[in-house]
């Protein structure tokens, strides 16, 4: 993948004029709106500030108006009025994306779906939710009947289900269920188009791929139907190791032990644990650690596996219940929370997202660990991939310059490690499978013929 020096997406749409926005506001009478500039600016941000490159590029970008639909008929109305005036529209879920995914580049409407958060139904093994439902609330609702989401990002407490399917891809649970895009992990999406006469379409099966992880560039998701899994009272554990590769091999073995019911399998190299102040008693100086979430019936086998690998269990406790806000769950030190925990202490770091090759992943991880040392601090998330258990990494990088960062990226690519570049807001620069990108573009041609949805994010889009 060629590495861009900066984000070079298509020029976005012109910003709508104040007169156009005033007319739109009048036409939306009755729908909740926010137009206080400070609030609109605040709502127009996500966590792009992890990246010094995006921080500079997205400074000052904001919508003109926040619209907060209460139900799908409001969404259809907003879509119709925006299309009529050619006003750009960007959807906001929880605003926890990492790459400025929901930052409006051309002003217009920010559609905040937080008022659409109902659980529509929940039955054996599957549930249907409005797009603005928070993942934590879905799990709280499911727990009553023994079900939970198969996977969630580590932002479970703040992210929405619509934002997860539109902007996320993997998370806690991926060690069993793989990525969201694997067939069967999302059952259905209901999507409102931005045509002259907007429609609400039900997508099921392979059709889902057109909208999944498309950053809301080709449809407004109003409902999501998700398959669920058994809600265990998960036990979270830390296993500590003297040697990094001993820990890495253990994480791989744990993932491959299909009899052990595991929901999290995170490898973190020293010195990253030294930044996790609240966990200090469980993080011995200089040790590399594996964070895990294990179902109680598998604990005995898990402990035996740790002992056989030469590790020591330094923490074992029940994961705080979904509704418990007093305790920080261990998964909030994993996935992209690892970088956040380090950033709390050291504002100068940034991160990378690397995808290692199944079968060669441990050799690649070791090579990068030894090559970059403390400049690129290793943090891997093990997960099920179609070709077997492998890992991706969200390494914490001691940032010096953009040139050095791209040098590090190039080195990874030259050594067979794919980079899903977190320093760009352009969808295609993340390196999606071409088939997925084709699906997304084809669906955009149909659902957003004027290119009004989240303009500037899909680089292959050209107006017809
Ligand atoms: P937003 O940030 O609001 O939106 C994300 C994208 O989806 C935007 O492009 C937006 O326009 C679009 N969108 C939102 N709602 C809709 C809708 N209804 N219809 C159409 N488009 C829509 N991601 C992971 O995959 N796994 C992780 O483990 C993970 N960990 C994270 C940890 C931290 C600390 C942070 C800051 C981020 C992490 N992320 C992770 C990224 C992000 O939290 C997730 O992708 C999350 O699911 C986004 O949900 P959201 O509701 O906040 O979406």
């Amino acid at each position: 993948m060629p590495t861009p020096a900066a984000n070079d997406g298509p020029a976005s749409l012109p910003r709508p004029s104040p007169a156009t926005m005033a007319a739109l506001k009048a036409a939306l009478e009755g729908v909740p709106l926010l137009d206080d500039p400070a609030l609109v600016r605040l709502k127009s941000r996500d966590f792009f500030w992890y990246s010094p490159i995006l921080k500079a590029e997205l400074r000052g970008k904001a919508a003109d108006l926040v619209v907060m639909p209460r139900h799908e008929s409001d969404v259809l109305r907003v879509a119709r009025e925006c299309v009529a005036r050619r006003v750009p529209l960007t959807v906001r879920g929880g605003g926890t994306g990492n790459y400025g995914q929901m930052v409006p580049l051309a002003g217009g409407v920010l559609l905040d779906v937080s008022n659409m958060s109902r659980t529509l139904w929940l039955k054996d093994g599957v549930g249907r939710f409005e797009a603005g439902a928070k993942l934590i609330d879905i799990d709280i609702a499911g727990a009553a009947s023994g079900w939970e989401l198969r996977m969630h990002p580590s932002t479970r407490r703040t992210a929405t289900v619509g934002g997860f399917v539109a902007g996320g891809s993997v998370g806690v649970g991926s060690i069993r269920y793989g990525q969201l895009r694997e067939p069967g992990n999302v059952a259905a999406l209901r999507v409102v188009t931005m045509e002259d006469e907007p429609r609400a379409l039900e997508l099921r099966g392979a059709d889902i791929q057109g909208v999944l992880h498309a950053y809301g560039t080709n449809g407004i998701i109003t409902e999501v139907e998700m398959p669920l899994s058994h809600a265990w009272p998960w036990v979270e554990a830390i296993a500590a190791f003297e040697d990094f590769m001993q820990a890495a091999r253990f994480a791989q073995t744990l993932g491959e032990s299909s009899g052990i019911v595991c929901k999290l399998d995170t490898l973190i190299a020293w010195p990253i644990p030294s930044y996790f102040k609240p966990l200090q008693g469980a993080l011995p100086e200089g040790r590399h650690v594996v964070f895990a979430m294990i179902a109680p019936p598998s604990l005995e086998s898990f402990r035996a596996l740790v002992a056989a690998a030469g590790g020591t269990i330094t923490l074992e406790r029940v994961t705080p219940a979904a509704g418990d806000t007093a305790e920080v769950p261990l998964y909030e030190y994993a996935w992209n929370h690892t970088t956040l925990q380090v950033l709390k202490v050291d504002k100068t770091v940034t991160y990378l997202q690397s995808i290692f090759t199944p079968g060669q992943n441990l050799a690649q991880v070791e090579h990068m660990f030894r090559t970059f040392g403390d400049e690129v601090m290793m943090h891997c998330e093990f997960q099920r991939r179609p070709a077997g258990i492998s890992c991706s990494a969200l390494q914490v990088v001691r940032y010096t310059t953009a040139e050095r960062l791209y040098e590090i990226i190039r080195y990874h690519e030259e050594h067979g490690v794919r980079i899903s570049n977190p320093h760009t807001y352009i969808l295609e620069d993340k390196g999606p499978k071409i088939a997925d990108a084709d699906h997304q573009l084809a669906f955009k041609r149909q659902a957003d013929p004027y290119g009004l949805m989240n303009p500037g994010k899909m680089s292959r889009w050209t107006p017809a």
Side-chain angles (χ1 to χ4, degrees):
M1 182 182 83
T3 307
N7 297 315
D8 49 4
S12 49
L13 290 177
R15 202 177 182 108
S17 70
T20 302
M21 291 310 296
L24 177 69
K25 240 160 86 175
L28 292 178
E29 173 150 25
V31 183
L33 308 172
L34 292 176
D35 59 2
D36 173 67
L39 262 180
V40 174
R41 268 201 307 277
L42 196 71
K43 288 262 186 190
S44 298
R45 291 172 62 83
D46 66 7
F47 283 69
F48 64 80
W49 52 265
Y50 271 36
S51 160
I53 292 166
L54 290 179
K55 207 164 150 182
E57 287 184 2
L58 294 176
R59 184 171 293 132
K61 301 280 185 215
D64 295 299
L65 181 67
V66 177
V67 182
M68 305 177 73
R70 297 154 296 181
H71 31 63
E72 192 180 87
S73 48
D74 274 355
V75 174
L76 284 159
R77 193 172 148 203
V78 178
R80 189 179 302 111
E81 298 299 342
C82 283
V83 172
R85 294 170 180 79
R86 305 290 190 264
V87 170
L89 180 147
T90 304
V91 188
R92 181 188 206 275
T96 67
N98 283 116
Y99 334 113
Q101 287 153 297
M102 51 68 55
V103 176
L105 300 180
V109 163
L110 186 66
L111 192 80
D112 176 339
V113 295
S114 55
N115 284 334
M116 294 175 58
S117 59
R118 284 163 283 255
T119 292
L120 299 169
W121 50 258
L122 210 152
K123 58 186 181 200
D124 268 4
V126 60
R128 189 156 173 127
F129 315 94
E130 284 188 314
K134 279 193 190 159
L135 300 168
I136 188 99
D137 292 332
I138 291 176
D139 278 349
I140 290 171
S145 47
W147 296 103
E148 65 180 17
L149 289 164
R150 287 180 172 182
M151 71 185 84
H152 60 78
S154 56
T155 45
R156 172 162 85 146
R157 297 208 262 188
T158 39
T160 63
V161 67
F164 186 35
V165 296
S169 49
V170 274
V172 184
S174 288
I175 187 63
R176 273 197 104 60
Y177 290 102
Q179 296 187 287
L180 265 184
R181 64 184 297 281
E182 304 306 340
N185 275 337
V186 179
L189 299 176
R190 190 171 163 89
V191 176
V192 166
T193 66
M194 292 276 290
E195 299 162 285
D196 289 309
E197 199 41 62
R199 294 175 293 160
L201 306 174
E202 176 86 359
L203 306 181
R204 305 193 76 90
D207 289 345
I208 291 169
Q209 299 297 334
V211 174
L212 208 62
H213 201 70
Y215 292 7
T217 54
N218 59 8
I220 305 165
I221 300 165
T222 55
E223 293 177 14
V224 184
E225 196 177 304
M226 294 294 269
L228 306 170
S229 63
H230 181 74
W232 290 103
W234 296 101
V235 173
E236 48 189 37
I238 298 178
F241 297 83
E242 255 175 52
D243 175 65
F244 174 71
M245 283 312 293
Q246 197 186 8
R249 278 190 293 273
F250 168 73
Q252 179 79 23
T253 305
L254 175 61
E256 287 171 354
S257 302
S258 46
I260 296 182
V261 182
C262 172
K263 195 175 178 184
L264 181 73
D265 186 1
T266 305
L267 167 69
I268 299 179
W270 187 264
I272 295 177
S274 66
Y275 292 89
F276 299 169
K277 299 296 174 211
L279 292 175
Q280 278 316 298
L283 299 169
E285 175 81 19
R287 299 289 173 94
H288 311 280
V289 288
V290 174
F291 288 1
M293 285 169 68
I294 305 291
S298 296
L299 267 178
E300 190 182 342
S301 309
F302 170 76
R303 289 179 193 133
L305 214 62
V306 175
T312 310
I313 294 180
T314 56
L315 177 97
E316 209 182 271
R317 65 181 187 197
V318 175
T319 300
D324 181 352
T325 50
E327 287 270 0
V328 177
L330 201 57
Y331 67 73
E332 286 192 10
Y333 293 88
W335 290 95
N336 223 352
H337 267 81
T338 308
T339 317
L340 184 62
Q341 299 290 359
V342 179
L343 274 164
K344 282 182 189 169
V345 180
D346 180 353
K347 300 257 178 299
T348 65
V349 302
T350 187
Y351 74 124
L352 272 187
Q353 294 183 151
S354 316
I355 301 157
F356 296 99
T357 316
Q360 299 168 38
N361 60 308
L362 288 189
Q364 290 173 330
V365 166
E366 181 170 20
H367 179 80
M368 296 304 163
F369 174 77
R370 306 230 180 273
T371 302
F372 292 104
D374 274 6
E375 184 185 12
V376 181
M377 294 178 267
M378 193 55 84
H379 156 214
C380 296
E381 294 293 344
F382 284 74
Q383 55 208 263
R384 182 170 303 281
R385 295 264 168 177
I389 297 294
S390 187
C391 59
S392 58
L394 294 112
Q395 304 97 320
V396 182
V397 178
R398 293 193 196 281
Y399 183 75
T400 47
T401 62
E403 290 69 33
R404 176 61 185 155
L405 185 66
Y406 282 114
E407 205 173 280
I408 295 169
I409 289 177
R410 258 194 311 278
Y411 186 89
H412 280 74
E413 289 172 341
E414 284 162 9
H415 288 79
V417 179
R418 264 176 59 211
I419 295 289
S420 175
N421 185 1
H423 303 283
T424 168
Y425 51 75
I426 304 284
L427 180 58
E428 291 90 341
D429 290 353
K430 293 281 180 304
K433 294 210 161 135
I434 292 297
D436 290 351
D438 285 348
H439 263 117
Q440 291 168 345
L441 180 62
F443 192 75
K444 186 170 173 75
R445 295 234 174 273
Q446 175 195 343
D448 180 27
Y450 302 107
L452 296 172
M453 292 216 61
N454 206 356
K457 303 288 170 62
M458 187 189 273
S459 64
R460 298 205 301 168
W461 165 259
T462 46

